[in-house]
Amino acid sequence: MADVIVFDLYGVIARTQSPEAIRRIEKVAGVSGESATAFWEAYWECRPPYDAGQDGAAYWAAVAGRLGTAFPDVPALVEADLDSWVDVDEAMVELIVELADRGRTLGLLSNIIDELVPRFEARHGGWLSRFAALTYSCRIGVAKPDPRAYLICAERLGVAPGEVLFFDDREGNVVAAREAGMRAEVFRSPAQVRELV
């Protein structure tokens, strides 16, 4: 039985960007077709420093620089991007509450940008309060799969890495968690979590 369970946020509890959100971002950025493909490549290639605490303006300047362009309305682009990351999977939220009610110690380890944290917490503070530790990449200065992220998360929970069962939707992050000493699984579904814990 796993008493200490750490979850990734996006792709596990929170939903990734919807097609509608992606289209909105593309519209605000003024990209389509092949330029949209290049935009998303730059968006993700420039993301790790942003996840680790880089300023939003610097991030979008880096994306624009990678593309050799300038965005017409950066504040609107920031807003569209933030709005694309606030929806959750209600089945997973129910499971979080259930696990907390059963006395499990819960932690969150998320690659998340600084501007998004207050917006996400304002919308989802109720169930987030069930976590013993919220470890955000932007607040600790490192992002998964950096091994320090896992060690900081375990330390904040007051346990050794080997006492943690970690779920993430990305194989690379799961491998890194295992290398840091955690038991870790690629997240598939709430049913999988229930079976393993």
Side-chain angles (χ1 to χ4, degrees), residues 6-9 13 106-110 128 131 133-136 153:
V6 172
F7 294 96
D8 171 38
L9 184 56
I13 304 168
L106 304 179
L108 189 71
L109 177 58
S110 177
L128 283 170
F131 287 88
L134 300 170
T135 306
Y136 300 130
C153 178

Side-chain angles (χ1 to χ4, degrees), residues 11-39:
V12 178
I13 304 168
R15 298 194 184 280
T16 56
Q17 293 164 307
S18 69
E20 295 77 18
I22 288 170
R23 285 193 294 272
R24 179 184 173 203
I25 292 169
E26 290 174 350
K27 182 177 180 180
V28 174
V31 299
S32 61
E34 289 185 12
S35 67
T37 300
F39 170 83

Side-chain angles (χ1 to χ4, degrees), residues 21 29 49 58 60 62 65 84 87 108 126-127 149 152 154 158 160-161 166 175 184 192:
W60 287 108
S84 74
D87 295 328
L108 189 71
W127 60 266
I152 291 168
F166 174 67
V175 170
Q192 170 214 22

Side-chain angles (χ1 to χ4, degrees), residues 103-125:
R104 305 300 173 85
T105 299
L106 304 179
L108 189 71
L109 177 58
S110 177
N111 287 356
I112 187 172
I113 59 176
D114 194 51
E115 294 97 328
L116 183 53
V117 171
R119 184 174 302 214
F120 196 89
E121 288 186 338
R123 185 172 294 193
H124 301 293

Side-chain angles (χ1 to χ4, degrees), residues 35-88:
S35 67
T37 300
F39 170 83
W40 289 110
E41 288 174 358
Y43 176 99
W44 290 113
E45 287 170 3
C46 295
R47 204 76 176 184
Y50 197 19
D51 283 337
Q54 180 188 48
D55 173 76
Y59 165 72
W60 287 108
V63 174
R66 183 73 59 95
L67 297 170
T69 190
F71 297 119
D73 189 346
V74 172
L77 190 54
V78 169
E79 186 68 20
D81 185 44
L82 293 177
D83 277 348
S84 74
W85 295 109
V86 293
D87 295 328
V88 298

